[in-house]
Amino acid sequence: MPQNTAPTSGAPTAGDPYVASGNGGYVVERYDLELDYRVATNRLRATAVLFARATMRLDRFSLDFDGLSVDRVTIGGARPKKLVQTPRKLLLTAATTIEAGDRFEVTVKYRGAPHPLRSIWGEVGWEELEDGVLVAGQPNGAASWFPCNDHPSDKATFRIAVTCEAPYTVICNGVLASRSTRSGRTTWTYDSPESMATYLATVQIGRYLRKDVSGGLVSQRIFYPSGHLPQVSEDFARLGEMVALFSDRFGPYPFESYTVVVTDDKLEIPLEAQGMAIFGRNHVDGEHGSDRLIAHELAHQWFGNSLTVESWRDIWLHEGFACYAEWIWAEASGGRTADTSALVHRRKVEALPQDLLTGDPGPHDMFDDRVYKRGAMALHAVRRSVGDEAFFGAVRAFTADRRHSNVTAAGFVEFFTAHTGSTGIERIVHRWLYEKAMPKA
């Protein structure tokens, strides 16, 4: 019989020109992470189990992994035929061929001093605070603390268990399933049943106090450093109203709860993770000085976390909706109307160079503020074209239909066109996002 000569090597990237991370040949369905961490010395010993499914006949494949040392790897319980660790990847050759469609487990035991990864966007990933840890993985920092398929197109469920010194609180994505203390060290175990992109997985460690917010549509909890309760209570007092507003405009909140972490360190910008947002103490002033940012990060739970772009070129879908949520909140809370916000930001963007394609800005400019603002203005233009009832009806239908999955700009246009019956949406989106010059009207 002729031998099967089909390629059996998974691609070394996801094929996304914005990042070199991601891998081909398989998808991960679940991550099970056991982390034993020493805060005082920044030392980590860990085991990661990846429950994966082959999308092709597979002998060789890779994982994203950076900065930590591998002690042992098994694939389906067997040592790999070959293991190579490069600065950014684990290259694995299985002892036996994995057939397309087969499910398999990869177990990696590893250790080291985790640190953020250098990138064109600055340092991303696992970061030490003055007294604790912050993880900010967007867009490719997950590999700084666990082996993974680090691309938003491969979403998976997670279990994260972290053991560290007892005085510290550990906050991760999902629901706290258990907590136990032994010999001065506490293990916190969290479970995330909804699929999640790797860049949204997070670990937050600090000497935090906890405030539970009762009532409202969604249970909320705030973790904050000692001495900041008055400011935290005031600044997040309207969080429930924001959840209610966005649930009305965007559809039901997509997770079981919402967690806010306020670090004792100053942060340049707030950060979102799935089911969570992280703010620095500089974002909390007791005078609602960060309401816009609070609204922005909350909106990412719908756009970015539940609905996640399939490739980074479409990041305007995340940031445009989150920025537009700021305008929606301002309008509903007695501030500027969305029309006024669109006009104000249009004038600001018009004063900047017209040299960026918002719908495909390139990796260096994917976090440029023009992507955020022109994305929001494109959404407002669609809203004005079809009317509020049709627009928000389409938004709610879109978030329901694509809940906990991946989305694309083309899919957005197709869905909104079909749902509203409008023939002008593609033209509006093209003018705002795929032409460098600002639309004249």
Side-chain angles (χ1 to χ4, degrees):
M1 290 181 64
Q3 292 185 339
N4 187 339
T5 59
T8 58
S9 294
T13 75
D16 188 333
Y18 282 46
V19 291
S21 57
N23 307 275
Y26 66 94
V27 293
V28 181
E29 297 178 335
R30 183 169 177 81
Y31 292 91
D32 194 328
L33 308 179
E34 296 271 354
L35 312 178
D36 190 302
Y37 183 67
R38 307 276 172 171
V39 178
T41 57
N42 188 39
R43 302 301 298 181
L44 176 67
R45 299 188 73 91
T47 300
V49 182
L50 287 66
F51 298 87
R53 176 174 52 83
T55 57
M56 58 178 283
R57 196 165 188 263
L58 202 59
D59 281 328
R60 296 178 296 278
F61 61 95
S62 56
L63 303 175
D64 297 298
F65 194 56
D66 193 321
L68 299 166
S69 300
V70 171
D71 289 330
R72 179 184 173 92
V73 176
T74 59
I75 303 172
R79 291 287 189 98
K81 183 184 297 185
K82 187 176 182 180
L83 163 64
V84 176
Q85 184 170 8
T86 72
R88 290 283 174 134
K89 299 279 185 177
L90 288 182
L91 308 176
L92 304 173
T93 302
T96 57
T97 299
I98 304 166
E99 298 297 334
D102 282 357
R103 287 179 165 83
F104 62 99
E105 296 178 16
V106 182
T107 300
V108 183
K109 294 183 180 293
Y110 58 100
R111 57 187 164 81
H115 57 272
L117 310 182
R118 293 181 179 178
S119 75
I120 60 174
W121 310 282
E123 294 187 333
V124 295
W126 186 286
E127 182 177 346
E128 289 183 89
L129 298 174
E130 286 294 322
D131 189 24
V133 167
L134 175 150
V135 171
Q138 190 179 26
N140 62 345
S144 68
W145 62 286
F146 68 101
C148 54
N149 192 15
D150 195 11
H151 192 266
S153 61
D154 190 10
K155 301 177 71 171
T157 62
F158 276 75
R159 174 185 171 273
I160 305 175
V162 181
T163 301
C164 72
E165 297 90 330
Y168 292 92
T169 297
V170 176
I171 308 112
C172 302
N173 314 88
V175 177
L176 179 62
S178 66
R179 181 179 65 184
S180 60
T181 301
R182 182 178 180 182
S183 301
R185 295 178 61 74
T186 300
T187 299
W188 307 71
T189 303
Y190 288 84
D191 188 70
S192 294
E194 300 90 3
S195 61
M196 175 167 64
T198 47
Y199 83 90
L200 293 167
T202 194
V203 175
Q204 306 291 324
I205 302 176
R207 299 178 189 267
Y208 294 122
L209 302 174
R210 172 172 168 167
K211 172 183 172 65
D212 290 326
V213 180
S214 59
L217 299 176
V218 175
S219 64
Q220 303 153 39
R221 60 187 68 93
I222 304 172
F223 293 89
Y224 62 95
S226 176
H228 287 73
L229 180 58
Q231 297 93 327
V232 164
S233 297
E234 181 62 35
D235 285 345
F236 292 96
R238 304 190 72 181
L239 184 58
E241 295 176 49
M242 291 184 184
V243 172
L245 174 66
F246 295 159
S247 296
D248 176 72
R249 300 294 197 273
F250 304 150
Y253 179 78
F255 305 103
E256 182 173 320
S257 62
Y258 187 58
T259 299
V260 169
V261 178
V262 178
T263 72
D264 204 21
D265 291 44
K266 293 182 178 181
L267 302 180
E268 182 179 355
I269 57 172
L271 312 162
E272 96 270 9
Q274 187 149 304
M276 188 188 311
I278 302 96
F279 298 82
R281 60 180 171 85
N282 52 306
H283 299 125
V284 179
D285 59 9
E287 299 178 359
H288 291 277
S290 294
D291 278 10
R292 176 183 68 83
L293 301 176
I294 293 170
H296 184 107
E297 303 308 329
L298 174 62
H300 273 311
Q301 302 309 315
W302 286 264
F303 307 103
N305 295 197
S306 179
L307 278 64
T308 308
V309 293
E310 194 170 288
S311 63
W312 283 114
R313 66 171 290 181
D314 290 335
I315 191 173
W316 74 267
L317 276 170
H318 292 184
E319 302 300 348
F321 265 110
C323 180
Y324 196 52
E326 300 174 25
W327 304 355
I328 292 171
W329 168 250
E331 186 173 60
S333 60
R336 289 174 178 163
T337 65
D339 277 337
T340 301
S341 290
L343 179 60
V344 167
H345 289 290
R346 177 191 178 95
R347 290 169 176 166
K348 290 180 179 180
V349 173
E350 283 178 331
L352 300 172
Q354 305 295 303
D355 59 358
L356 183 70
L357 282 180
T358 305
D360 190 6
H364 287 84
D365 292 320
M366 60 190 282
F367 299 112
D368 190 293
D369 193 54
R370 289 171 291 177
V371 174
Y372 295 49
K373 298 304 189 294
R374 282 189 65 159
M377 284 185 275
L379 294 171
H380 189 64
V382 172
R383 176 184 173 185
R384 292 191 64 184
S385 173
V386 302
D388 280 15
E389 183 177 353
F391 176 77
F392 287 112
V395 172
R396 290 189 291 269
F398 190 53
T399 60
D401 186 72
R402 308 301 162 89
R403 183 179 173 92
H404 304 313
S405 63
N406 290 107
V407 293
T408 65
F412 164 83
V413 171
E414 181 181 0
F415 188 95
F416 271 61
T417 297
H419 196 275
T420 64
S422 170
T423 59
I425 291 175
E426 184 174 11
R427 180 181 62 85
I428 292 170
V429 170
H430 182 84
R431 291 173 65 216
W432 280 99
L433 304 178
Y434 299 99
E435 295 178 8
K436 292 182 178 180
M438 288 277 285
K440 295 185 182 302

